Amino acid sequence: MEAPEGLSARKGSCLVPQAVPSESQPPSANAVQITVVKAQDLKSIRSDTPFTLVRVEYDGVILGDSSTIQVLPNGTASYNFTTSFEYHPDGPNSLVDVAQKPVLLTVIEALQKQKKQKEEKVMPLGQAVVDLLPLLQGQCSFTVLAPLYAVPTSPSESLHPEAKCGLEVTVRTEKPLLSASQLSNGNLLSVTLEAAYSVPDAFVPTGPPQNYVACLQVPAAGEKEVPLLFKNGILKPGGEKESLPRPKKWSLANIMAPGALNIPNSFIFGGPYEDEDGELNKTEDREFRIQAESTKRIVWDTERRCYLDPAAVLVLQKRIAECRYWPVEVCRMPVVSSSKGKSSKADKGDEDRQIFFHGVAYVNMVPLLCPGVKRIRGAFRVFAYQDGEVLEKTKKQQSILRDLRPQVSPTKERPCTPGISSPLSRAVPSKAQREEKEKSTREKEFNRRMSYAPKTQLSDAALEDENTEKSLSLDGQQYAEAGTFLVMEIKLDKALVPKRLREELTKRVKEMIPPRPLLPPRTEGAKKAVEDYHNHVTSIAVAILSEYHDLFGKQLPDQGAIDHQTLEEQKRYAVVKIVREKYLKTTAFETQEQFQAFLSELYVYLVDQMHVAVNQLLHEEAASPVPLTRVTAEQLWLFAHEAEVNKDYKLAALYHQQRIAQDKHNTQYWLDYGAFCLLLEDTTKAQECFREALSLDPHHVRSLLLCGIVAVVLQHYEEAEIFFEDACCLEPSDVVAWTLSGLFYELQNNNIQAEMAFREAKKQLQAQLAKERSISEGKGGKKQIAAAYVRSTSPGPEQLLPEGPPDGSASRLPEAAEEPALACPAPEEEALASEAAPEGPPPISGLSQPSCTIFMKAVEFLMKFNAIQFVHMALAHELLGGPSCAYYLALARTYLLKEDFSKCEECLCEAVRIDFMNPDVWALKGHLCYLKRDFAGAKECYERTISFVVDAADMHFVYLRLGSVYLEEKEYGKAKQTYLQACKNSASCLTWLGVGIACYRLEEMGEAEDALSEANALNNSNAEAWAYLALICLHGGRQLEAEQCYKYAVKLGLRPAALLQELRAAQQRFGFGNPAF
C-alpha cells in the first residue's frame, strides 16, 4: 500500500505549513535547528495508526511538517525531519523568548482520502514540548526524548497508562547563543505563580466567562523591561486542597494535549508556612492559610522565565535596593466574543483603559540581595491598586496591565482545533514593536483629546472616567476585604550576591589562625636534670660506701682512695643543670640578697633530692608516689569564678592557668580563660585565648562567635564578618550565630543582611521549639522541662553559679563590690557562668513562662562569656516586642554592673510585677540589697529564693551570702545548715570555711576542724582557714600545730582585723601559739 501524498502538497488543505525549510539550504549562523529523529511506541497511543507526520511549531509559528511516514509494527516512525527558526537578539525570537517558549511538536495521523472526500481527513494523535533552556546554559547541541502526550480526542480505550511513547529530538546551533561574558555574568529569572486564595465573593464560576490575569515586569536587557504575563487562571470552587507535589505548567495557548503543558522535571513542592519568605507565615496565620487553601481559589501553576543580561542583573540589584518591593498586578477581564459588532474607536479606547478588580501584591525582593539567596517563595497579600500607593512603595509610575490591556484582553473565537485548522502567520512586526506602536498611538490620541478640552473645567467624559475609576477602585478594594493573597515563587539561576563557600571561609580562618605546631620534645628538661642529679648522688654514695667498707674491713678489689675533688666536679655539673632547667636561672642576680635567697632555696631542694636518691639506694621498696590532687577541672573553674567576683584576679588567673595546664587541648578551658580576660578589659589576651581554642577546633561555633565579637571590639570588621559567616555556615541551625550576625550587620548599617539573619534565626528557633514540643508531648508528664527550656533566663546546670560570691571572708560581711570601669563592659556579679559543667535539663523558673526570643538567647550567650558589646542592641530589639521578665532581668544585671542601683531596683520591680514567682528575680534582688549593705532586705530575698520549689540559677552564691548574713547576726545554727547545703550543691573552700566557722562558734570543735581541714585541702592559701585552725589548736592545747597555723595565717596576709585580734587574745589567754612570745 502506498503512503498518502504529502499533506503539504494538497490544495486547500488546512495543514499547509507556513515555512517548510529547504534541507539543501545551509543554516544561518543565528539559526536554531530542530531535528525530529523518530517517534517511539506510537502504538501505545493508537494501535491502528498506519501513517503519521510531525509538525514543528515555535511561538505560534508553524516551522514545517515532515513527510508522511509509515509506522512500523513496533510503533516506531523515523521522520529525520529538520527545520529551524532564526534567533535575533533584539527580537523576534530573542533570548527572552528562548528562555520561556518551548518548541511544540504535534504528531498527526494521516488518513487516506475517500472517493467522495474533497480533502484528506487528519487527526492529531499527541503533542510533545522541547525546552530550549540548555541553549542558555552554554550548550550548542543537545538531544532529548520528549514525552508524547495523547490528545484527548484519541480513543481512551486504546490508551495504556504505562506506555512510554516519545519523540527523539536534537536541537543545535552553529555557535553558542551566549558569549562567555553573558554566560558568566548573566542570570536566569523564573517566576512561578501558583494560586490566589481567599478570593472575593464576586468571583463565581457561573455567568459570563472571565479571564484571571497577573503580571509583573522585570529588566531583561539593561533598562528595557519585559512583562511576564500569567493568563487563563482557573477559578476552582472550594473543596480539597491542591495536591503536592504538582507539575509547573507552560504558558502556551495552542496545546491540545493537557499533559504537554507540564514542564519536565519541574514541580511545586510547597512547604511549611514558617519557612516561607513572604507574609502570613506566623503561627497565628496558620489556621487562616489552611482554611483559605480549601475554599474558592484561582489556580495558575504557571512558570515564566526571563534571561537577564549582565546589565539587567545590575539594574535588578539596584532597583531592589532602592524600591525593596516589586508590584505584581492582578485583575479579572471578561472574555469578549468576536461575533459582536465592531465598536467605535472611542469606545474601544475606553474599554482598553478599564481594568476590573485591579489589585496589586507587594513582593519583598530584599532577600535576593542576601549572600547565596537564589529563591524566595511565600504568600503576599493583595490590595486595591492605587497609583499613589504603588508609586510610593515601588516607584512605578504606571500600571503594566493598563499598558498591556489590548494584548491581555481575551477574545472568544469560534471553535477550532488549535494548530490544525488555524495556521498562524508571523510575517508581521514583532510583539515588542506592536506594543510600542499601540502605546504610542494611545498616548497621541489622549494628548490630542486633552489639547482641545477646557483647562478650567472637566468635560462630561472626564467626569465619567472619574466615576468609572472610583467604581473600579471599589472592585479592587474587595481583595483587602476578602484577605486575598498570592502564593508565588521567584527563583534565580545564580545568586545576585555570591556567598563565600565553606571551604573559602575555612581557608580564611586558617590564614588568620594557623594551627599551632607541636613543640619538639626537650631532651634536657627539668625532669632529666633532676634524674641526672639523682644518678650523681647515687654514684657518690656508692663510692663513699665503698671507701667506708675498705676502712672497716670490707676490701673491694681494685678500689683505690676516693678522689673527693673529682666527685665534687661531677656533682657541680649536675647542680648547674638543675639551676638552668629547673629554676630557669641563666642570668646574674641583681642584688646580693636575691642571690643569698636563691642559694638557700636551692640548698633545701638539693638536700631533699639527695635524701630521695639515698633512700632509693638503701631501700628496696620504691618511694611512695606523690598523692594526686583532688581538685578537678570543674572545681578549679568554680574557684576561679569565686576569685573573680571576689576581686582577687591574680588568684582567679592562677586557677584558670592550672585548669589549662591539666588539659591544654580542651577548647572550653581556653574559652573560660578568654571570658575572664574580657572581664579585665584585656581584649588582646582574650583574643589570644579564643584563637587558641579555634586553632584546637576550627569547627567550634562558639569559638568562631567569640573571635568575631573580639574582632568587633578591636574594630577588625572584615575579620569579624568572616568569623560570623563561617559560624552560620558550619551550623545553619544555630540561633545565637544568626542573631549575632544580624546584630553585627546592623552595626555596619547593612540592614538587608541584618534582616535576613534575624529572619533565619527566628525560623531556626521556631523549628527548635516545635521539636521540643513534639518531644515533650511524646513524654507526657515531662512537658514542664520543655517549657522551661524556652525560658531565656534559665541557664543550664553549667550555669549553676551566680554572679556574686561573698567578698573574701566568710566570717564578715564583704563590702559592696567595686566594679572596674570597663570600656567593653563585662558583667561581674550577675554574669552567667560558663559552660564547663555537663549539659542537662535546665531549672524551671517561676510559674509564668515568657516566650523565648532570639535576642534573649543572644543576651544569655553574651553575658555568659562576659562579652556584652551587643547586649544593649539585643535588648533594644527585645523591647520592640514588648518588655518581659527576662528583658527586665537582663537589663537589671547591666545596671548592677554599672552600680546604678536605683535603675536596677526599678527593673527588678517591673520583673517582680510580671513574674512574682520567679526565683531568679528574687535572687538578683537579694544581691542588690547585699551590695547596698541592706542585709535585712538581702536576708528576706534570699530566704524567699530558697523557699521556692524550683531553684534559682545562682543558688551557690545565694547560700554563701545568706550564710554570711547569718554569721554576722550570730545565727550560727542557720549559718551551718546553709553552708552545708552549699557544700552539697557545689563545694568549695569558702563553703567549707563557712561550715567550719559556724561549728567553731557553736563550740563543735571536732566538726569545725574537719570542715576547716577540707577547706584547707581545697585551697591551702586561705589565711582565714589557717587562723581558725590555729584557734582550734589553741583550744586543744596543741602548741606546735597552733604556732604553725598562726605562722601561715600571718604569712598569707590575714586581713580581717577583728579575727587577728581574736587570735592574738586567745594566744595571750592560753600562753602559747605565737613564736614571738
Side-chain angles (χ1 to χ4, degrees):
M1 184 181 67
E2 295 181 357
E5 298 178 1
L7 296 178
S8 60
R10 305 219 183 258
K11 186 178 180 180
S13 173
C14 65
L15 291 173
V16 176
Q18 301 304 309
V20 180
S22 174
E23 298 185 4
S24 61
Q25 296 178 355
S28 170
N30 290 335
V32 178
Q33 294 185 2
I34 299 102
T35 301
V36 184
V37 181
K38 62 181 178 180
Q40 298 180 2
D41 203 6
L42 286 178
K43 298 291 185 179
S44 63
I45 295 182
R46 185 178 177 86
S47 58
D48 56 349
T49 301
F51 298 96
T52 60
L53 60 90
V54 63
R55 168 167 293 173
V56 182
E57 300 179 42
Y58 182 73
D59 197 13
V61 176
I62 299 176
L63 302 181
D65 292 348
S66 72
S67 302
T68 303
I69 303 299
Q70 184 177 6
V71 180
L72 299 179
N74 62 357
T76 302
S78 298
Y79 300 110
N80 293 320
F81 171 67
T82 300
T83 183
S84 64
F85 67 88
E86 294 290 329
Y87 151 72
H88 299 282
D90 299 326
N93 301 333
S94 64
L95 293 176
V96 176
D97 298 319
V98 174
Q100 64 181 340
K101 296 176 181 178
V103 175
L104 178 62
L105 308 173
T106 306
V107 176
I108 304 170
E109 179 185 8
L111 303 177
Q112 286 186 343
K113 187 172 86 170
Q114 302 296 329
K115 293 181 180 180
K116 296 183 180 181
Q117 286 182 342
K118 294 182 179 180
E119 296 182 357
E120 296 163 342
K121 184 178 180 181
V122 296
M123 180 176 293
L125 293 180
Q127 287 185 313
V129 292
V130 177
D131 193 356
L132 300 180
L133 187 61
L135 296 180
L136 299 180
Q137 296 172 339
Q139 299 185 29
C140 293
S141 176
F142 65 92
T143 301
V144 296
L145 182 63
L148 186 65
Y149 297 94
V151 175
T153 55
S154 302
S156 59
E157 63 272 7
S158 64
L159 182 63
H160 303 286
E162 69 276 3
K164 294 182 178 179
C165 52
L167 293 175
E168 183 179 338
V169 183
T170 299
V171 180
R172 66 181 299 271
T173 59
E174 290 296 325
K175 61 180 182 179
L177 296 187
L178 300 179
S179 64
S181 174
Q182 288 176 315
L183 190 62
S184 60
N185 299 324
N187 214 327
L188 183 71
L189 175 69
S190 302
V191 180
T192 302
L193 182 60
E194 299 179 17
Y197 296 99
S198 187
V199 296
D201 295 334
F203 291 3
V204 292
T206 59
Q210 304 287 341
N211 187 18
Y212 300 95
V213 183
C215 183
L216 72 157
Q217 259 183 336
V218 294
E223 295 284 344
K224 182 181 177 182
E225 292 192 339
V226 173
L228 300 182
L229 271 173
F230 299 86
K231 301 189 291 185
N232 305 318
I234 302 173
L235 179 63
K236 292 187 177 182
E240 296 183 358
K241 299 173 60 176
E242 297 294 319
S243 60
L244 289 174
R246 60 184 187 272
K248 298 180 181 179
K249 300 182 183 300
W250 295 106
S251 181
L252 297 177
N254 52 342
I255 288 290
M256 295 176 288
L261 278 174
N262 299 337
I263 302 176
N265 303 319
S266 186
F267 297 92
I268 297 172
F269 292 98
Y273 304 133
E274 294 79 8
D275 294 343
E276 295 179 352
D277 301 289
E279 307 167 58
L280 301 173
N281 55 2
K282 305 294 189 299
T283 305
E284 55 269 20
D285 301 320
R286 181 179 181 83
E287 185 177 353
F288 170 69
R289 291 283 298 273
I290 294 175
Q291 292 178 355
E293 291 176 0
S294 303
T295 56
K296 186 169 53 177
R297 58 198 178 274
I298 302 171
V299 179
W300 285 274
D301 287 346
T302 303
E303 180 182 83
R304 300 297 299 266
R305 303 171 184 158
C306 181
Y307 170 76
L308 311 179
D309 66 8
V313 173
L314 298 178
V315 170
L316 180 64
Q317 289 179 319
K318 179 181 177 182
R319 292 187 181 176
I320 293 177
E322 291 176 352
C323 303
R324 189 180 187 92
Y325 294 103
W326 214 266
V328 179
E329 299 181 38
V330 294
C331 70
R332 187 183 77 170
M333 295 184 179
V335 178
V336 181
S337 176
S338 63
S339 61
K340 292 183 180 181
K342 295 183 178 180
S343 59
S344 65
K345 291 184 177 180
D347 295 340
K348 182 175 177 57
D350 293 340
E351 286 184 4
D352 288 348
R353 292 183 178 277
Q354 292 182 8
I355 300 178
F356 300 96
F357 291 94
H358 194 186
V360 61
Y362 301 103
V363 179
N364 185 4
M365 301 277 280
V366 167
L368 292 179
L369 295 184
C370 297
V373 176
K374 299 187 291 185
R375 171 183 178 269
I376 58 174
R377 179 186 179 273
F380 304 93
R381 296 182 183 273
V382 180
F383 303 91
Y385 190 95
Q386 301 288 342
D387 292 326
E389 184 180 2
V390 174
L391 178 61
E392 179 184 355
K393 285 191 173 183
T394 68
K395 298 184 180 179
K396 297 286 185 181
Q397 297 183 353
Q398 55 189 4
S399 167
I400 311 170
L401 288 177
R402 288 174 187 165
D403 294 339
L404 302 177
R405 176 69 173 84
Q407 177 184 346
V408 176
S409 180
T411 303
K412 186 177 181 182
E413 304 286 352
R414 60 182 177 85
C416 64
T417 306
I420 299 297
S421 59
S422 300
L424 301 175
S425 177
R426 283 298 179 90
V428 292
S430 67
K431 180 171 65 176
Q433 292 172 342
R434 292 200 314 272
E435 294 173 5
E436 188 67 25
K437 183 177 180 180
E438 291 173 358
K439 179 179 179 183
S440 176
T441 303
R442 289 197 304 272
E443 289 179 352
K444 290 180 180 179
E445 178 65 21
F446 180 74
N447 293 334
R448 186 183 62 81
R449 288 184 182 182
M450 295 302 296
S451 63
Y452 292 103
K455 296 184 178 180
T456 57
Q457 58 182 1
L458 291 175
S459 65
D460 295 339
L463 290 173
E464 184 178 353
D465 291 343
E466 184 179 353
N467 294 333
T468 303
E469 290 180 2
K470 290 182 178 179
S471 176
L472 296 178
S473 178
L474 292 176
D475 288 345
Q477 192 64 32
Q478 296 187 33
Y479 289 119
E481 296 173 355
T484 306
F485 61 92
L486 296 177
V487 177
M488 60 187 303
E489 175 192 66
I490 299 176
K491 184 172 62 174
L492 292 165
D493 187 53
K494 294 177 288 187
L496 294 178
V497 181
K499 183 179 182 180
R500 281 188 281 249
L501 298 177
R502 179 174 175 178
E503 293 77 12
E504 180 185 354
L505 291 170
T506 304
K507 182 181 178 181
R508 293 286 299 274
V509 171
K510 285 183 178 180
E511 290 175 356
M512 292 186 292
I513 308 175
R516 301 292 190 266
L518 295 177
L519 295 175
R522 296 185 61 185
T523 57
E524 297 295 331
K527 183 178 180 181
K528 182 69 166 51
V530 174
E531 291 178 355
D532 291 345
Y533 177 74
H534 287 175
N535 294 334
H536 283 292
V537 170
T538 302
S539 64
I540 293 173
V542 170
I544 293 175
L545 286 175
S546 299
E547 183 179 6
Y548 179 84
H549 293 160
D550 185 29
L551 294 175
F552 292 95
K554 288 188 178 182
Q555 183 70 31
L556 295 177
D558 300 330
Q559 181 70 35
I562 297 176
D563 188 354
H564 294 279
Q565 185 176 0
T566 302
L567 295 179
E568 289 290 340
E569 190 69 18
Q570 294 177 356
K571 188 174 67 174
R572 187 176 65 140
Y573 286 112
V575 173
V576 169
K577 289 176 64 177
I578 287 181
V579 171
R580 289 179 177 177
E581 301 295 337
K582 179 69 176 177
Y583 289 93
L584 304 178
K585 296 294 184 181
T586 57
T587 59
F589 293 92
E590 296 180 358
T591 62
Q592 187 66 23
E593 290 77 10
Q594 292 181 358
F595 179 63
Q596 292 298 330
F598 173 72
L599 288 180
S600 300
E601 182 180 359
L602 178 63
Y603 175 77
V604 172
Y605 179 78
L606 292 177
V607 169
D608 290 341
Q609 295 301 318
M610 181 187 67
H611 291 164
V612 172
V614 172
N615 289 334
Q616 290 177 351
L617 175 66
L618 299 179
H619 301 281
E620 294 183 1
E621 65 273 8
S624 59
V626 179
L628 298 176
T629 177
R630 295 183 298 165
V631 180
T632 63
E634 289 74 15
Q635 287 178 311
L636 285 174
W637 176 84
L638 171 61
F639 302 160
H641 192 65
E642 287 181 337
E644 288 173 19
V645 296
N646 195 31
K647 298 296 182 295
D648 193 349
Y649 298 125
K650 184 177 179 180
L651 181 60
L654 177 62
Y655 283 131
H656 280 296
Q657 292 164 4
Q658 288 181 1
R659 194 164 175 240
I660 291 175
Q662 288 186 0
D663 186 2
K664 293 182 179 180
H665 300 284
N666 191 302
T667 304
Q668 188 60 48
Y669 297 172
W670 286 105
L671 295 184
D672 292 337
Y673 192 24
F676 166 71
C677 294
L678 280 183
L679 182 65
L680 302 182
E681 293 185 281
D682 194 348
T683 310
T684 303
K685 193 168 185 178
Q687 182 185 45
E688 294 177 2
C689 294
F690 296 148
R691 292 197 171 196
E692 182 68 29
L694 193 58
S695 67
L696 295 174
D697 185 2
H699 303 297
H700 194 256
V701 177
R702 290 297 185 259
S703 300
L704 284 168
L705 293 177
L706 290 170
C707 285
I709 290 171
V710 172
V712 171
V713 176
L714 297 175
Q715 299 182 359
H716 300 163
Y717 298 116
E718 293 184 3
E719 293 183 4
E721 184 176 7
I722 293 174
F723 287 128
F724 287 129
E725 191 173 345
D726 194 20
C728 295
C729 184
L730 287 173
E731 192 61 48
S733 61
D734 194 294
V735 177
V736 174
W738 285 109
T739 306
L740 292 182
S741 297
L743 293 174
F744 167 74
Y745 287 125
E746 189 176 64
L747 190 65
Q748 297 295 302
N749 295 322
N750 190 342
N751 296 326
I752 292 176
Q753 290 194 244
E755 180 181 345
M756 185 275 293
F758 290 148
R759 185 172 64 250
E760 187 66 25
K762 292 176 182 177
K763 184 175 73 173
Q764 297 301 331
L765 180 60
Q766 290 174 357
Q768 290 181 13
L769 298 181
K771 182 178 180 181
E772 290 161 8
R773 281 194 297 268
S774 63
I775 294 176
S776 65
E777 290 172 0
K779 292 183 178 180
K782 297 186 178 181
K783 294 182 180 180
Q784 191 180 16
I785 295 178
Y789 187 73
V790 306
R791 185 182 185 88
S792 61
T793 56
S794 298
E798 68 272 9
Q799 304 151 3
L800 289 176
L801 299 181
E803 303 70 39
D807 186 48
S809 172
S811 63
R812 63 183 178 88
L813 291 175
E815 298 179 357
E818 296 179 0
E819 299 302 329
L822 300 179
C824 173
E828 43 110 51
E829 306 261 321
E830 293 10 282
L832 296 175
S834 74
E835 298 174 310
E839 298 181 358
I844 306 168
S845 176
L847 297 179
S848 64
Q849 299 296 335
S851 60
C852 178
T853 65
I854 61 173
F855 301 108
M856 292 312 302
K857 289 279 187 182
V859 168
E860 177 186 344
F861 171 80
L862 294 169
M863 298 187 71
K864 182 189 303 180
F865 288 98
N866 297 332
I868 59 173
Q869 174 74 9
F870 300 152
V871 166
H872 289 288
M873 293 175 60
L875 290 178
H877 280 279
E878 179 71 14
L879 186 59
L880 294 177
S884 62
C885 180
Y887 166 81
Y888 283 118
L889 198 58
L891 190 60
R893 287 170 174 163
T894 61
Y895 285 134
L896 196 63
L897 170 68
K898 299 177 182 179
E899 296 186 4
D900 193 342
F901 297 145
S902 59
K903 289 186 178 180
C904 177
E905 189 171 4
E906 293 176 5
C907 293
L908 289 176
C909 290
E910 290 295 327
V912 169
R913 182 182 59 82
I914 295 175
D915 190 356
F916 186 81
M917 302 295 292
N918 191 327
D920 290 322
V921 176
W922 288 105
L924 187 59
K925 192 173 183 180
H927 297 328
L928 174 64
C929 296
Y930 192 86
L931 294 177
K932 292 170 60 178
R933 306 196 65 81
D934 179 10
F935 302 121
K939 176 182 176 182
E940 180 183 355
C941 293
Y942 289 147
E943 288 178 342
R944 183 188 293 268
T945 301
I946 64 177
S947 66
F948 284 115
V949 176
V950 180
D951 286 341
D954 57 352
M955 292 303 296
H956 181 81
F957 290 138
V958 169
Y959 288 129
L960 281 177
R961 289 181 168 175
L962 181 58
S964 178
V965 173
Y966 284 146
L967 287 179
E968 182 68 17
E969 296 182 353
K970 298 185 170 49
E971 299 184 45
Y972 302 122
K974 291 183 179 180
K976 176 182 176 181
Q977 296 301 321
T978 302
Y979 279 118
L980 284 174
Q981 186 64 36
C983 293
K984 179 181 178 182
N985 293 340
S986 50
S988 68
C989 173
L990 294 180
T991 59
W992 284 114
L993 177 60
V995 175
I997 295 172
C999 292
Y1000 173 77
R1001 299 303 179 188
L1002 292 172
E1003 298 183 0
E1004 299 173 358
M1005 298 301 174
E1007 294 184 14
E1009 185 173 1
D1010 292 340
L1012 292 171
S1013 299
E1014 188 68 25
N1016 188 268
L1018 293 175
N1019 181 12
N1020 59 5
S1021 62
N1022 189 289
E1024 286 188 77
W1026 287 111
Y1028 278 101
L1029 282 173
L1031 288 172
I1032 292 174
C1033 292
L1034 287 174
H1035 284 83
R1038 294 177 285 176
Q1039 180 177 354
L1040 180 61
E1041 294 178 51
E1043 290 180 357
Q1044 292 291 333
C1045 292
Y1046 172 74
K1047 179 180 68 175
Y1048 280 114
V1050 174
K1051 183 178 180 180
L1052 293 172
L1054 183 62
R1055 285 180 294 178
L1059 179 59
L1060 184 59
Q1061 292 177 1
E1062 180 183 1
L1063 179 57
R1064 288 176 176 172
Q1067 291 172 346
Q1068 292 285 351
R1069 185 169 64 255
F1070 289 104
F1072 62 90
N1074 189 343
F1077 290 167

